Structure formats: structure tokens, C-alpha cells
């Protein structure tokens, strides 16, 4: 059996998609699995042993370009896929498998997809977690009535390249002499997910005073935030606080994060990467909620405020006060770290057990689908 998956475009969603790919391989051990995704997600696919081939989506973010999709579909027709699974809900994401004339085209009911999909699923609300909605697509429609029908949730587990890890340590002048606190203060989604730099700095200083070192990860867009955190650190401690934002590829970020003794991250792609590496993780939630996209790992503490207006799932605060983040004090995160430490087992960044996370109540979270 040969299967094409049209994957999501957000890094965190792609990490959670590995649960779907594991389920496909468990159901069809001899299948050949190809996944199409934007270039920035191909790095993740190459760290997932379940994926036999990663195909770069050549169209830009949000491009419709009907003729280009038709050409791409015609090219993929030569692969003779038996089934396509379309993870995004957009119409344009379903066009390529339709043009490729893949006989079975599976996906959730979305915008104007009747006809484009012939294995259409309509009971998505019965699968409250995003990962559950992904996993349901790996099984026959008649078998998937609700979340109770999912046998188990195989957790994401990204491979680590130890050779690349060593090269990255050397290139960036890093060492492992002190335990590593990783901070991920950015969030591509928007400012309503970003915990204040001053709060991050307080937590970082606490760890530095206790003999840790701090690595601050992020993209080039996160460099100002990372520098602000470092500038608020006691000058005597700054040599042990390293700004890696904008200095690492995603390959390097994965391999270096595998060395973390603890990760503190906003609800972001890097948070889900830390979970897939099974790092002790504190997930900081502002406008979003762990009831929809929780990190899928064993050693996780979730922190958030309980003010009336959250979760709103907005990119920016409609009231302009960002209380859901500002009122989440550093001491709450420090206490979460202590709880992690008390129950922490020896670090195993590569090998994970398959298991099922706690079930949560559904959230009405909506995400854009740029494919």
C-alpha cells in the first residue's frame, strides 16, 4: 500500500502529526508513506522514521494557484498512490490528491471539499484533541465514532543526530558542564502566546544562581526577545546565558534541545519538539489551552492563569491588557520546575514508550490552514 499525506504547515502540528504516521505504519506495516509539507517542516519529517519520503510543498504560504496545484497533482499521479490523507481543513489542500486521481481521499469535512474527498469524515467534534482528530484518519470511517474508538495515542518521538549535536556544540562554543535550562520565549502565532521577557528573566536568573546554564532558542524573529531576557540577567551570570535564537537551524535546535535538563516554552512549535524529545517540560499557556493541543510527553507541567477571558485563542489580546500572561508570575513556573524535579526519571531523549495522555475537555480552537 502506498499512502500520501498532505501534512500541516505549523511546526507544532507537524510534530503531533507523527502520531498519525505511527498509527498508519502500525495498521499497514508494509506500506510506503510519503508526506508533503512546507520546506520548514521537512526537517521534522526527516527525523521521523515512519516517513519513507518527505515531499516539499513547492507553493508558497497560503498560495491558491490552481494551475500549479494541478501540475503538481499530475506529477504525483505517476506515484500511483492507493490513498491520500489530507490533514488540513482547507479546500486547496485537497486539490492536489484530487488532481493526482488518488482513489481514496480521506479527510475531515472542511471548506467546499465535497467531491474532492471521497472518504469524508464529519464527526470531528467527537475527537477533542487535535492529535485525536489526526489519529482518527488512520482508521476506517465506520470504526471511528468517538475518541473511545482510538486504540492508543502513540506519542511523537523525534530522532536525535548525535554527530550533528556534537558539531553544533563546537560551532556555538557550548558545553555540558552545567545542567541546561532551555527557554523558548517566542511564538509564531502571535503576542497573546508570549510570556513576558521579564518573567523569563526572573526564572532564568533563579536557575543561573543555582548553578545551571541557560540556552535561549528561537527563530531570527525572536532575537530581540532573547536579547532582552539576557540583558536583564545579572552581568556576573551572563557568561552562562547563551542566546541561540537565530543562530541554529531546526536540525541543530532539535539536537541541542535533546540535552536540556528542563525546558520552559510558550505554546509553540518548540514546545512540541521538546515534548517529542521527552525533555522535562513546563508549557506556558496564554490565550490558548492545553485542552486542545497539549504537549504529548510524560514529564510535563502546564501553567496558566484562570482569568475569565481565557482561553480566547486570539493572536493579540482584544482587551490590550495581556493579563493571562502578565499575571502568570515567575514563582508559578519555578514551583512547576520543583514538581518536575521531584518526579523526574533519568533522561532518555531518543527512546519513548507508546502511551495515552490524559483526556481533556474539548476546546473550540481554530487554526489557519495555509496549504
Amino acid at each position: 500500500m502506498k499512502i500520501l499525506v498532505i501534512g500541516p504547515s505549523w511546526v507544532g502540528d507537524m510534530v503531533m502529526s507523527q502520531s498519525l504516521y505511527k498509527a498508519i505504519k502500525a495498521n499497514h506495516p508494509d506500506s510506503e508513506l510519503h508526506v508533503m509539507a512546507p520546506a520548514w517542516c521537512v526537517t521534522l519529517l526527516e527525523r521521523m522514521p515512519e516517513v519513507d519520503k518527505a515531499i516539499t510543498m513547492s507553493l508558497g504560504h497560503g498560495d491558491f494557484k490552481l494551475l500549479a496545484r494541478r501540475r503538481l497533482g499530475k506529477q504525483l499521479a505517476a506515484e500511483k498512490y492507493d490513498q491520500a490523507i489530507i490533514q488540513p481543513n482547507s479546500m486547496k489542500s485537497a486539490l492536489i490528491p484530487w488532481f493526482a486521481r488518488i482513489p481514496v481521499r480521506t479527510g475531515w469535512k472542511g471548506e467546499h471539499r465535497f467531491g474532492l474527498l471521497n472518504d469524508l469524515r464529519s464527526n470531528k467534534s467527537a475527537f477533542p484533541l487535535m492529535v485525536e482528530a489526526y489519529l482518527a484518519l488512520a482508521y476506517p470511517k465506520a470504526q471511528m465514532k468517538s475518541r473511545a474508538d482510538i486504540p492508543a495515542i502513540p506519542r511523537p518521538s523525534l530522532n536525535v543526530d548525535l554527530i550533528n549535536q556534537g558539531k553544533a556544540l563546537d560551532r556555538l562554543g557550548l558545553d555540558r558542564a552545567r545542567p541546561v535550562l532551555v527557554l523558548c520565549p517566542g511564538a509564531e502565532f502571535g503576542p497573546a502566546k508570549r510570556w513576558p521577557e521579564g518573567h523569563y528573566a526572573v526564572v532564568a536568573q533563579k536557575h543561573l544562581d543555582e548553578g545551571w546554564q541557560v540556552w535561549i532558542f528561537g527563530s531570527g524573529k525572536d532575537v530581540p526577545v532573547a536579547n532582552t531576557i539576557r540583558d536583564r540577567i545579572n552581568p556576573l551570570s551572563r557568561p552562562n546565558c547563551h542566546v541561540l535564537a537565530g543562530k541554529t537551524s531546526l536540525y541543530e535546535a532539535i539536537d541541542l534541545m535533546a540535552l536540556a535538563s528542563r525546558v520552559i516554552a510558550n505554546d509553540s512549535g518548540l514546545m512540541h519538539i521538546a515534548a517529542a524529545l521527552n525533555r522535562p517540560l513546563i508549557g506556558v499557556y496564554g490565550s490558548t489551552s492545553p485542552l486542545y493541543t497539549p504537549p504529548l510527553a510524560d514529564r510535563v507541567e502546564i501553567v496558566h492563569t484562570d482569568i475569565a477571558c481565557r482561553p480566547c485563542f486570539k493572536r493579540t489580546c482584544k482587551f490590550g491588557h495581556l493579563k493571562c500572561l502578565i499575571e502568570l508570575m515567575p514563582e508559578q513556573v519555578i514551583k512547576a520546575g520543583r514538581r518536575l524535579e521531584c518526579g523526574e526519571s533519568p533522561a532518555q531523549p531518543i527512546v519513548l514508550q507508546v502511551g495515552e495522555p490524559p483526556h481533556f475537555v474539548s476546546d473550540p480552537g481554530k487554526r489557519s490552514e495555509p496549504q
Side-chain angles (χ1 to χ4, degrees):
M1 191 172 186
K2 198 170 186 179
I3 301 171
L4 172 69
V5 174
I6 306 297
S9 288
W10 297 97
V11 168
D13 295 358
M14 181 56 76
V15 173
M16 288 184 285
S17 295
Q18 192 182 10
S19 296
L20 167 64
Y21 310 152
K22 287 186 173 189
I24 290 172
K25 284 293 190 176
N27 294 343
H28 307 285
D30 297 325
S31 64
E32 186 175 343
L33 177 60
H34 296 184
V35 181
M36 174 176 282
W40 55 85
C41 285
V42 168
T43 294
L44 292 168
L45 294 173
E46 292 173 349
R47 296 304 184 93
M48 300 178 184
E50 302 79 18
V51 177
D52 297 297
K53 182 179 180 180
I55 304 171
T56 301
M57 168 65 81
S58 55
L59 300 176
H61 185 87
D63 288 342
F64 186 82
K65 295 186 177 178
L66 182 63
L67 292 179
R69 290 177 187 273
R70 182 178 182 273
R71 284 194 300 270
L72 187 51
K74 295 296 184 182
Q75 292 170 7
L76 290 176
E79 295 280 356
K80 299 188 183 302
Y81 292 108
D82 298 290
Q83 182 183 12
I85 297 175
I86 298 91
Q87 291 184 259
N89 293 324
S90 63
M91 180 182 71
K92 54 184 173 287
S93 64
L95 283 169
I96 292 172
W98 185 76
F99 282 128
R101 295 295 185 261
I102 299 172
V104 180
R105 302 180 299 278
T106 302
W108 289 107
K109 181 180 177 181
E111 55 175 25
H112 312 295
R113 284 146 62 104
F114 295 101
L116 295 178
L117 303 180
N118 56 12
D119 179 21
L120 189 66
R121 314 295 178 90
S122 59
N123 60 330
K124 193 173 184 179
S125 61
F127 303 92
L129 298 184
M130 176 181 284
V131 68
E132 291 174 333
Y134 286 166
L135 276 169
L137 299 177
Y139 300 92
K141 181 178 181 178
Q143 186 180 332
M144 288 289 110
K145 302 300 184 183
S146 73
R147 70 190 321 173
D149 297 320
I150 296 176
I153 297 181
R155 295 180 181 175
S157 52
L158 299 175
N159 286 342
V160 175
D161 185 333
L162 298 180
I163 294 176
N164 187 61
Q165 183 186 82
K167 290 179 179 178
L169 287 169
D170 291 341
R171 183 179 71 81
L172 295 165
L174 302 173
D175 61 52
R176 303 173 63 182
R178 293 167 172 250
V180 177
L181 172 68
V182 164
L183 303 182
C184 303
E188 189 69 22
F189 182 77
K193 275 191 177 185
R194 291 199 290 265
W195 201 40
E197 296 95 318
H199 290 357
Y200 268 110
V202 171
V203 176
Q205 187 67 63
K206 175 71 172 175
H207 284 74
L208 289 165
D209 292 344
E210 293 176 355
W212 293 56
Q213 59 179 315
V214 175
W215 297 354
I216 308 177
F217 283 85
S219 68
K221 296 177 184 178
D222 301 318
V223 172
V225 170
N227 284 335
T228 298
I229 293 171
R230 190 176 188 274
D231 289 344
R232 296 188 181 190
I233 298 297
N234 185 322
L236 297 176
S237 305
R238 282 182 200 162
N240 291 313
C241 181
H242 305 277
V243 173
L244 305 183
K247 298 178 181 178
T248 65
S249 65
L250 188 53
Y251 273 122
E252 291 174 317
I254 292 169
D255 295 330
L256 291 173
M257 195 178 293
L259 298 173
S261 299
R262 185 173 299 159
V263 178
I264 302 172
N266 300 331
D267 176 17
S268 63
L270 288 176
M271 180 192 75
H272 289 287
I273 287 174
L277 295 168
N278 207 23
R279 299 297 75 219
L281 170 64
I282 301 171
V284 181
Y285 281 77
S287 68
T288 56
S289 171
L291 305 184
Y292 183 52
T293 54
L296 303 173
D298 294 317
R299 292 173 286 172
V300 176
E301 286 284 336
I302 300 297
V303 292
H304 59 78
T305 55
D306 292 317
I307 63 173
C309 59
R310 75 159 300 276
C312 67
F313 296 96
K314 302 294 185 183
R315 294 175 183 268
T316 57
C317 178
K318 63 182 179 180
F319 299 114
H321 56 51
L322 286 172
K323 286 185 177 180
C324 64
L325 294 164
I326 293 171
E327 293 183 0
L328 178 58
M329 302 310 294
E331 184 57 33
Q332 290 177 252
V333 173
I334 292 169
K335 288 180 178 178
R338 293 194 192 110
R339 290 194 297 269
L340 272 179
E341 190 169 356
C342 289
E344 188 173 312
S345 57
Q348 297 292 337
I350 301 176
V351 179
L352 285 177
Q353 297 296 316
V354 173
E356 185 176 5
H359 280 171
F360 298 91
V361 178
S362 176
D363 260 332
K366 294 182 179 179
R367 304 169 72 82
S368 60
E369 300 290 0
Q371 283 88 354

